Amino acid sequence: MLPSYGVMSELEAKPIYQQLARARDLMDDDELKEAQAAFIETIDRISRASNDSNPFYVAVSCMISVCEANRGDLILAERILDKQADYLKQLDQEQHPAVIEVLATLSYLRYLNDQMDESAGFMQKVRTLQAQHGLDNSAESIVPQQLIVVAALKKGDFEAALDQQNAVMNLVTRIYPPTSIEFADSLAFLGAITAMNGGEDEGLDLLNEAVKIAERSPEAGTKPISIRQMHGLFLKFTGHTAEAETLLTSIVDGIAVKGSFPNLTSKLTLLTELADIHHAAANYESVIPLAEEGVTLITTARSFTGVS
């Protein structure tokens, strides 16, 4: 059930969901300042359309809390949820599905704060409520588990992250076909985390398979190229520089930045990685045009943000 159900009409909710998708994309791309601004704009629109005590407002509050935690402010992240305390008690008594996202967010925050028992307790409540609402084998069941993977990575606990991502992969396998972009995304992430645990060859094999699935997927033309980026950066960091250069160059050439700040920042990041490859190989003449293109992108970025 969508969090806007019973709060506003589908017609009213549609532009808000579009804004929310943009905010989540920015957060996924680690553009946290821009993501936070987009989330706040979204929650203000919900507040103006309804009020501050509804499941839709709560759901976006959770996303803002996660974003603040990712920016390093765990105290503010907790306070954002504390502001909803009275209404959350009401939702909890009703065992409303909106509570699931709150519990998942609290589990994430506790994990980041080294309160592992509390984190596990909240996650157990998440699973119980998901089962009660028939969500334990749905796409919604993946998000709370994925949050803990991210938390483990942020703590540098790669072994725990690998265990959690294997659990996520089991869920994804039950929910999505093995030809889907969602399956490829999870497999690529599993490959990267496997490599972080010392399994470079196995990790590369998983990433190669993820890329093949993504390229064959019917959704390949409409989804971001994060899997190929992950693959290219993995090749670079594991010393496969020639393959990395070829792949990263093809990705850079295919990124259209017009009207897309996330695409612009992705392209700028990859140009930096390519420049680093050429610099390490003492190909200084190749570094200069990459740097010049980067400067052009920075100028374009200023037009997006209004920063002079």
Side-chain angles (χ1 to χ4, degrees):
M1 182 171 65
L2 292 171
S4 58
Y5 181 79
V7 179
M8 61 184 68
S9 69
E10 287 185 31
L11 189 62
E12 290 176 303
K14 185 176 179 181
I16 296 178
Y17 278 118
Q18 290 171 340
Q19 175 75 9
L20 190 57
R22 175 176 170 270
R24 295 188 77 154
D25 286 344
L26 286 166
M27 186 163 70
D28 289 344
D29 289 336
D30 215 27
E31 301 294 336
L32 299 178
K33 184 178 179 180
E34 292 80 8
Q36 193 70 332
F39 279 130
I40 290 171
E41 182 181 339
T42 303
I43 207 166
D44 285 346
R45 292 175 72 173
I46 296 169
S47 183
R48 290 195 299 270
S50 181
N51 55 57
D52 295 358
S53 296
N54 63 73
F56 202 6
Y57 192 96
V58 168
V60 180
S61 293
C62 289
M63 296 176 201
I64 294 174
S65 178
V66 169
C67 193
E68 284 296 353
N70 291 349
R71 294 178 72 185
D73 196 337
L74 289 174
I75 294 174
L76 180 55
E78 293 272 4
R79 285 177 180 167
I80 289 166
L81 295 184
D82 286 344
K83 289 179 181 178
Q84 293 278 307
D86 291 340
Y87 181 60
L88 290 175
K89 286 178 184 176
Q90 177 187 327
L91 290 177
D92 194 26
Q93 288 171 353
E94 298 170 0
Q95 294 196 324
H96 193 286
V99 175
I100 293 172
E101 192 153 4
V102 176
L103 293 171
T105 303
L106 288 169
S107 178
Y108 180 67
L109 299 181
R110 295 297 187 276
Y111 197 111
L112 291 177
N113 212 27
D114 290 324
Q115 295 169 291
M116 301 307 185
D117 289 343
E118 286 190 42
S119 175
F122 282 125
M123 189 52 64
Q124 184 55 53
K125 290 180 182 179
V126 166
R127 295 190 187 100
T128 300
L129 273 177
Q130 284 175 337
Q132 288 176 3
H133 289 281
L135 299 172
D136 45 337
N137 281 310
S138 68
E140 289 89 343
S141 68
I142 297 171
V143 177
Q145 298 276 11
Q146 196 71 66
L147 271 176
I148 299 302
V149 176
V150 173
L153 289 173
K154 286 182 176 295
K155 300 293 290 183
D157 190 348
F158 300 133
E159 188 174 342
L162 183 58
D163 288 342
Q164 290 290 337
Q165 186 59 24
N166 273 311
V168 169
M169 199 69 222
N170 288 335
L171 275 174
V172 169
T173 301
R174 292 204 302 269
I175 297 165
Y176 293 105
T179 55
S180 66
I181 202 78
E182 290 83 3
F183 187 94
D185 271 332
S186 289
L187 190 64
F189 207 32
L190 180 62
I193 299 172
T194 298
M196 292 176 190
N197 275 276
E200 288 187 4
D201 291 342
E202 184 184 355
L204 184 56
D205 287 344
L206 291 170
L207 273 166
N208 282 331
E209 182 60 27
V211 170
K212 289 176 185 175
I213 294 169
E215 289 175 344
R216 292 194 300 261
S217 170
E219 305 161 280
T222 61
K223 293 287 183 175
I225 52 175
S226 58
I227 296 172
R228 296 182 71 222
Q229 289 182 16
M230 194 184 302
H231 187 208
L233 294 174
F234 179 87
L235 288 169
K236 175 180 179 284
F237 295 141
T238 53
H240 299 82
T241 51
E243 295 171 65
E245 181 192 348
T246 301
L247 179 54
L248 293 177
T249 299
S250 71
I251 295 170
V252 165
D253 290 344
I255 296 178
V257 301
K258 187 176 180 181
S260 174
F261 191 73
N263 280 9
L264 187 150
T265 54
S266 291
K267 189 165 188 173
L268 186 58
T269 299
L270 295 180
L271 284 171
T272 303
E273 297 294 345
L274 280 169
D276 187 53
I277 289 173
H278 287 291
H279 185 271
N283 296 328
Y284 303 121
E285 290 184 4
S286 298
V287 174
I288 294 171
L290 291 169
E292 289 174 341
E293 187 174 356
V295 170
T296 301
L297 287 177
I298 291 171
T299 303
T300 305
R302 286 174 174 158
S303 70
F304 275 110
T305 61
V307 177
S308 60

